[in-house]
Amino acid sequence: MKSKTYIILLLLVSYFSSAQNVEKLKTETKKIHDANYTMDFETITNLTYPKVVATIGKEKFQEKLDTDYQNEAYRMRLQLPNPVFQYGEFVKIDGSTFCVILYKNPVRYFYETKLDSNTSLLKANDLREKDRTKDVTFEMSRNSFNVRRISKFVAIADASTNNEWKFFNMDDVAQRQLFETLFDDTIKKQLKL
């Protein structure tokens, strides 16, 4: 009888611990999205996987974020303040917990100089490749592109994050490449990346 009670108690503790972990991940995902939406680069830095920031350097990482959002050519803005996040399964490998998060994340690129039809076609092709989507629309009257894309975060909780959730933004080419360098094919395969 005692062993059954012990097993039930263990299952309940495991269930509540997992539920708290899911809720914490949802909270942190909302925080990093909100920081991207409002261009709060300090919060983005704090929520990004530490090896990303360490590799680039905090100041250069924040400069890159600023350049990604606004530069001499364009201003980029996220369009959805409250996207619906789809959470994959938690995958535990070698003391690290991973979760892939997908969400619709349309963005608009406002160009600073007036684009003609030829230039807009070239820019549209560049954006299709950069944002890995086919759904790019040029709006001549606004001199901007509307890009509909599915974005992806990979959340990781491990020893380097004090088991707190930190993120790789897989929309960012540099972060995606660093993820592929840091984690082997076994992890990528289990995460279906």
Side-chain angles (χ1 to χ4, degrees):
M1 182 69 177
K2 286 184 179 181
S3 64
K4 286 183 181 180
T5 304
Y6 178 73
I7 290 172
I8 291 172
L9 184 60
L10 188 61
L11 288 173
L12 285 173
V13 168
S14 174
Y15 171 78
F16 286 115
S17 171
S18 177
Q20 286 176 335
N21 207 7
V22 170
E23 288 308 311
K24 181 68 173 168
L25 177 57
K26 288 180 179 182
T27 300
E28 298 304 296
T29 304
K30 177 77 171 125
K31 280 182 192 175
I32 196 164
H33 175 269
D34 290 351
N36 276 284
Y37 186 82
T38 61
M39 299 183 332
D40 177 355
F41 302 142
E42 189 67 34
T43 300
I44 295 170
T45 303
N46 293 336
L47 290 168
T48 297
Y49 192 71
K51 290 181 183 174
V52 172
V53 179
T55 300
I56 299 171
K58 182 178 178 180
E59 188 174 309
K60 287 191 178 192
F61 179 73
Q62 290 182 345
E63 286 173 10
K64 182 188 176 313
L65 288 170
D66 190 36
T67 301
D68 289 347
Y69 278 89
Q70 49 202 13
N71 54 58
E72 291 178 6
Y74 63 80
R75 289 169 285 123
M76 190 261 309
R77 300 295 183 263
L78 303 184
Q79 297 184 65
L80 287 180
N82 296 304
V84 176
F85 299 107
Q86 297 175 348
Y87 296 88
E89 295 178 24
F90 284 12
V91 177
K92 295 184 182 209
I93 304 169
D94 297 331
S96 299
T97 305
F98 298 84
C99 183
V100 176
I101 304 154
L102 300 173
Y103 63 105
K104 290 181 182 178
N105 188 24
V107 295
R108 184 170 294 278
Y109 293 87
F110 297 93
Y111 277 78
E112 300 301 333
T113 58
K114 192 72 175 158
L115 301 177
D116 60 30
S117 58
N118 289 336
T119 308
S120 67
L121 288 174
L122 294 172
K123 297 289 184 194
N125 287 332
D126 290 344
L127 291 172
R128 282 184 189 96
E129 186 175 322
K130 176 187 171 295
D131 288 322
R132 301 185 307 171
T133 184
K134 294 179 182 177
D135 198 348
V136 175
T137 307
F138 179 61
E139 294 181 24
M140 189 172 285
S141 63
R142 297 175 77 179
N143 199 46
S144 70
F145 289 92
N146 187 27
V147 178
R148 288 179 206 72
R149 64 184 184 180
I150 303 295
S151 288
K152 184 183 303 177
F153 286 129
V154 176
I156 304 173
D158 64 14
S160 73
T161 69
N162 295 320
N163 286 315
E164 297 290 326
W165 290 109
K166 301 295 179 182
F167 299 87
F168 274 89
N169 181 347
M170 300 305 264
D171 289 339
D172 182 273
V173 175
Q175 288 189 46
R176 194 169 55 243
Q177 289 172 344
L178 185 59
F179 181 87
E180 290 173 4
T181 301
L182 292 173
F183 300 101
D184 64 27
D185 288 337
T186 305
I187 292 172
K188 290 180 257 183
K189 187 180 248 185
Q190 287 187 332
L191 296 176
K192 298 176 182 146
L193 295 175

